[in-house]
Amino acid sequence: VNFDCRTVFSEVFHQKGGFDVVIGNPPYFNVSTISKEFYHYLAEYYKSIHTGYNDIVYYFIYVGIEFLNRNGCCSFITSNYYLGNEYAKNLRKYLKNHISKIVNFKDHMVFDEASIHTCISLSHKETKSTEVIFFETATAEKITSSDIEAQLRYFAIKRADLNEDWLVADQPASSIIGKLNKGSILLGDIATIEKGSTSGKNNVFTISRELAREKKFEKELLRRNLKNGDIEKYAIRDRENYLIYVDNDTEIKNFPKIYSYLESYKDALKDRNEVANGLYPWYRLERPRNKAIFDASEKIVVPYRAENNRFAYDNAQYFNDGGDIRAIVINDGKVNIKYVLALLNSKLVYWFYGFIGKPKGKVREYFNRPLSLIPIKKILLAEQQPFITLVDQILAAKQNPPHPPLSKGGNNESSPLYKRGDRGDFIDTSVLEREIDKMVYELYGLTPEEIAIVEGKG
């Protein structure tokens, strides 16, 4: 990228106006890992696609197309993250006028030695088609033929419908998505979504409740601590830790016991990069974030990465210490938080999020932008009550189990309310959750055929 291609290949550009074909498998890595000089070069010379956290492959795609002559085509095999990544929105705006075909392998691993989700793109300098053709894997079958497209399903999307957020769906899926959006308001329009705080030194700021009691730490600066692994559907597992929450407004010397504790780690806390550069005092959290959101009387929390939708209700003011969760506070008095929670944990919204949540290996990313695009059906508070009632029953079951949880020395596996899963033992509320799913399908007006598509049976 960082050389004058038009000079090196001057004959190509003078005689033909550019290359007939550009083809390749560019490297991929985040530009935040490169030198400041190269980063500034990219920001200056590729302003139209630069957003600050791009993958280097975005620039290769852009340059590959720019170096074509007017009849040329460019084909790359790359990671498919730019199809949904928030930081690739400017690249997608650019590609709208050039992309002709995308073969998206989705969860199918093309390279045995690289755990990367890939796609093949075909672009033209001057495209004449009004539609873009998308090919996608439809089954888990290994692709064995060189005639790749014959083993994939395909559909077309009007070029005019591709904006900065690409919603890549075939006609049946598009019909369901249309029903989701009809009469709905986006979550981002009724809620504040905030990233969790980071301390820069969790082994200092995150403490056990036992230590807090032993040292008689001042309660005003203590917040229940939450990690992404503590979040289940609907409920939170309590790890019995506290976060010492110190921001710019904290008069630390008014809390002598906590101040004395932090002072014993002063050298380690001063060693954090931004403290060393004088950007904030040594006793403060690295990124305190929005305290009011996490102190809200009610909020929804979700891991920033998860294989499935796991949204939990929090009325105990849990704080995060690693930036690995998102907190959602509802601002609209006409929308009950538990109604929203029911929708977010439903099979329908899980299916929909597959179109807007960026995949990362086997998991999806639950970042602010895609979360804000989830449609919430507008209905009266009285009509929300059946959802709220079921959520209350789920929360009661999870928070007040009828039998003690499984322990190392005990065996409650005969209880129908317990299941053993990858994340440990949990209360089985699947009957109640299935009832919510049925109500959500009815709420959005899905047909039996559309329900089958959502549940992977169609």
Side-chain angles (χ1 to χ4, degrees):
V1 177
N2 194 8
F3 73 99
D4 189 348
C5 183
R6 297 177 191 276
T7 300
V8 175
F9 297 99
S10 58
E11 290 186 14
V12 173
F13 287 95
H14 288 154
Q15 295 176 14
K16 304 196 68 176
F19 292 96
D20 295 317
V21 177
V22 174
I23 188 169
N25 176 13
Y28 51 88
F29 54 83
N30 194 297
V31 297
S32 63
T33 63
I34 62 179
S35 68
K36 289 183 179 180
E37 292 76 18
F38 191 23
Y39 180 88
H40 290 314
Y41 170 85
L42 294 174
E44 175 65 24
Y45 286 92
Y46 302 101
K47 291 178 182 177
S48 61
I49 65 164
H50 186 80
T51 58
Y53 293 92
N54 297 29
D55 193 295
I56 195 67
V57 74
Y58 301 174
Y59 304 94
F60 276 91
I61 293 172
Y62 176 85
V63 168
I65 297 170
E66 286 296 297
F67 286 170
L68 296 173
N69 60 44
R70 60 181 301 180
N71 297 313
C73 67
C74 173
S75 184
F76 283 146
I77 183 165
T78 66
S79 74
N80 63 11
Y81 296 153
Y82 70 87
L83 299 179
N85 189 342
E86 179 180 351
Y87 297 115
K89 61 183 180 181
N90 288 345
L91 176 65
R92 289 192 294 271
K93 284 181 186 176
Y94 171 78
L95 283 176
K96 174 181 178 177
N97 298 316
H98 302 282
I99 200 78
S100 298
K101 182 188 296 184
I102 289 181
V103 179
N104 186 5
F105 296 103
K106 301 188 82 172
D107 293 334
H108 178 80
M109 291 299 179
V110 173
F111 301 109
D112 292 333
E113 297 180 1
S115 57
I116 192 79
H117 291 86
T118 54
C119 71
I120 296 172
S121 61
L122 181 68
S123 304
H124 291 84
K125 189 61 174 284
E126 296 183 7
T127 181
K128 297 177 177 63
S129 64
T130 59
E131 294 181 327
V132 178
I133 307 299
F134 288 85
F135 287 81
E136 292 184 347
T137 50
T139 68
E141 279 185 37
K142 189 173 180 64
I143 298 173
T144 55
S145 169
S146 59
D147 187 6
I148 295 173
E149 292 179 2
Q151 291 188 257
L152 307 179
R153 67 187 185 96
Y154 71 93
F155 52 90
I157 297 180
K158 291 181 180 178
R159 191 177 302 279
D161 292 338
L162 294 175
N163 299 310
E164 65 179 50
D165 294 310
W166 287 8
L167 210 160
V168 179
D170 58 17
Q171 196 284 323
S174 294
S175 176
I176 298 171
I177 293 167
K179 289 185 175 183
L180 270 161
N181 285 308
K182 186 177 180 181
S184 296
I185 189 166
L186 298 182
L187 181 62
D189 292 332
I190 60 170
T192 300
I193 304 171
E194 182 67 45
K195 184 179 181 179
S197 57
T198 60
S199 71
K201 218 54 156 174
N202 282 357
N203 62 335
V204 176
F205 288 96
T206 305
I207 60 172
S208 68
R209 291 186 193 166
E210 183 180 355
L211 178 65
R213 286 192 294 267
E214 177 190 322
K215 299 287 188 181
K216 296 182 180 179
F217 286 159
E218 295 86 354
K219 292 181 180 179
E220 294 91 332
L221 299 189
L222 300 180
R223 297 294 187 275
R224 294 172 185 262
N225 179 237
L226 174 70
K227 300 292 288 183
N228 61 15
D230 303 327
I231 300 174
E232 297 178 359
K233 263 188 166 186
Y234 292 99
I236 293 170
R237 295 175 186 266
D238 188 354
R239 64 173 53 226
E240 305 229 336
N241 280 349
Y242 280 130
L243 172 67
I244 299 174
Y245 187 86
V246 182
D247 61 12
N248 286 336
D249 297 327
T250 306
E251 296 289 344
I252 191 64
K253 291 189 178 179
N254 290 342
F255 307 94
K257 291 184 172 62
I258 287 179
Y259 179 73
S260 175
Y261 164 78
L262 293 177
E263 195 171 34
S264 67
Y265 293 97
K266 187 172 183 178
D267 288 343
L269 295 176
K270 288 177 69 175
D271 197 43
R272 293 175 293 170
N273 285 338
E274 293 181 346
V275 174
N277 292 329
L279 298 180
Y280 56 83
W282 62 267
Y283 51 81
R284 201 200 82 174
L285 294 177
E286 177 185 64
R287 296 286 183 275
R289 305 297 178 190
N290 189 336
K291 181 182 179 185
I293 294 300
F294 286 83
D295 259 340
S297 59
E298 292 181 298
K299 66 176 179 284
I300 294 170
V301 290
V302 61
Y304 84 127
R305 284 180 182 155
E307 289 190 32
N308 301 293
N309 284 19
R310 284 194 275 127
F311 293 87
Y313 177 73
D314 172 26
N315 63 349
Q317 294 75 55
Y318 279 87
F319 275 59
N320 181 229
D321 64 0
D324 57 0
I325 72 167
R326 295 296 185 274
I328 304 167
V329 172
I330 305 301
N331 303 321
D332 190 328
K334 296 179 181 178
V335 183
N336 187 284
I337 191 170
K338 291 177 181 176
Y339 164 66
V340 174
L341 181 64
L343 299 187
L344 295 179
N345 279 323
S346 69
K347 286 183 179 177
L348 180 56
V349 169
Y350 170 72
W351 172 86
F352 171 75
Y353 201 78
F355 293 94
I356 61 174
K358 175 190 168 189
K360 191 76 172 177
K362 292 184 178 180
V363 302
R364 297 171 178 174
E365 291 184 343
Y366 293 81
F367 288 177
N368 294 39
R369 175 64 179 171
L371 286 172
S372 71
L373 299 176
I374 297 174
I376 304 297
K377 180 72 78 174
K378 290 191 292 185
I379 57 176
L380 298 174
L381 281 169
E383 297 172 306
Q384 298 171 33
Q385 190 56 50
F387 294 92
I388 298 166
T389 299
L390 285 173
V391 169
D392 281 335
Q393 290 175 18
I394 292 171
L395 292 175
K398 288 181 178 288
Q399 292 169 3
N400 300 293
H403 303 288
L406 289 168
S407 62
K408 292 179 181 177
N411 185 357
N412 295 321
E413 294 189 14
S414 61
S415 170
L417 289 173
Y418 282 95
K419 286 187 176 181
R420 189 175 293 280
D422 293 338
R423 300 180 62 251
D425 303 303
F426 57 91
I427 300 295
D428 181 8
T429 56
S430 59
V431 174
L432 296 170
E433 291 176 39
R434 281 198 296 272
E435 189 60 31
I436 287 177
D437 285 330
K438 291 177 185 176
M439 291 166 57
V440 172
Y441 292 143
E442 183 178 348
L443 178 69
Y444 288 96
L446 267 62
T447 65
E449 294 76 17
E450 289 170 333
I451 292 171
I453 291 173
V454 169
E455 297 191 348
K457 302 171 185 175

